[in-house]
Amino acid sequence: MADFTIHTKDTVPEDGKETLDAIAKTYGFVPNLLGGLAEAPPVAKAYMEITLNVMAASLSPAERHVAWFAINAFHECHYCMAAHSAIATGEKIPADVIEAARAGGGYADAKLQAMHDFAVKMVETRGWVDEAGVQAFLDAGFTKRNVLEVVLIAAHKTLSNYSNHLMNTPVDDAFAPFAWEAKQAAE
């Protein structure tokens, strides 16, 4: 497998310095995912822009995290599962929601379970969710806007999950307490 560099401000390509500086200001450090994406500065910048748009979506924080987790688990992304576990904990997402996400679903809240199921269907079918699947999501209390917001989250996570697979991104120390392996979701 190709060896990708996890860039720092000293190694980033010249056209990525501004983006890497903005990332460091946003997070207080440069997460390894973004240091790796900085190999192609427009990709790192796009990831940050998509992140802002996901955060501006009408979904609740818990709903957003459930969609992220469902897609991360589906794609078996060890890095994003650890990072999102840390982020969700910091955002005060209930521990039972985070644990259910890390285990692959089984939410006590029916609406969160519907989000999980729909997000998985979205990536499993590559967007060809059948009418019954969309209707079940709407019947759970979501809207057509939310359907499209799940598409946005799928694009966001596909960018990071696939990149992490290619880069074999090491989990940052800040996320290490939340390490995850795909087999955990299957157990």
Side-chain angles (χ1 to χ4, degrees):
M1 182 170 273
D3 187 22
F4 283 85
T5 300
I6 304 300
H7 287 283
T8 67
K9 66 179 183 173
D10 298 325
T11 64
V12 69
E14 188 61 38
D15 60 337
K17 288 186 185 298
E18 185 177 320
T19 299
L20 211 62
D21 286 343
I23 290 166
K25 281 184 181 177
T26 299
Y27 296 106
F29 71 107
V30 177
N32 288 338
L33 163 66
L34 293 159
L37 291 180
E39 179 70 28
V43 177
K45 186 175 181 178
Y47 181 83
M48 293 302 293
E49 289 173 2
I50 295 171
T51 300
L52 292 173
N53 285 302
V54 170
M55 299 300 287
S58 65
L59 298 167
S60 74
E63 292 164 352
R64 181 178 66 242
H65 279 284
V66 167
W68 274 330
F69 278 124
I71 296 166
N72 291 335
F74 180 85
H75 288 149
E76 299 180 354
C77 186
H78 77 286
Y79 182 90
C80 286
M81 286 297 284
H84 282 284
S85 296
I87 293 164
T89 299
E91 288 187 21
K92 309 250 186 287
I93 301 300
D96 66 316
V97 172
I98 297 169
E99 286 308 311
R102 291 172 60 86
Y107 297 93
D109 181 308
K111 191 171 183 186
L112 293 181
Q113 186 64 48
M115 172 58 80
H116 170 271
D117 295 348
F118 186 73
V120 169
K121 280 182 185 171
M122 183 63 67
V123 292
E124 188 174 56
T125 65
R126 296 182 319 273
W128 294 100
V129 179
D130 62 21
E131 188 175 328
V134 173
Q135 192 59 53
F137 187 66
L138 297 173
D139 290 347
F142 291 102
T143 66
K144 290 178 183 172
R145 175 182 176 152
N146 299 146
V147 169
L148 296 174
E149 290 171 342
V150 173
V151 174
L152 177 65
I153 291 171
H156 186 235
K157 290 294 83 194
T158 300
L159 176 59
S160 63
N161 296 165
Y162 287 12
S163 296
N164 284 320
H165 293 172
L166 291 167
M167 297 184 303
N168 195 27
T169 311
V171 173
D172 301 271
D173 290 344
F175 308 144
F178 302 95
W180 178 89
E181 291 182 32
K183 66 180 180 174
Q184 291 175 317
E187 292 178 352

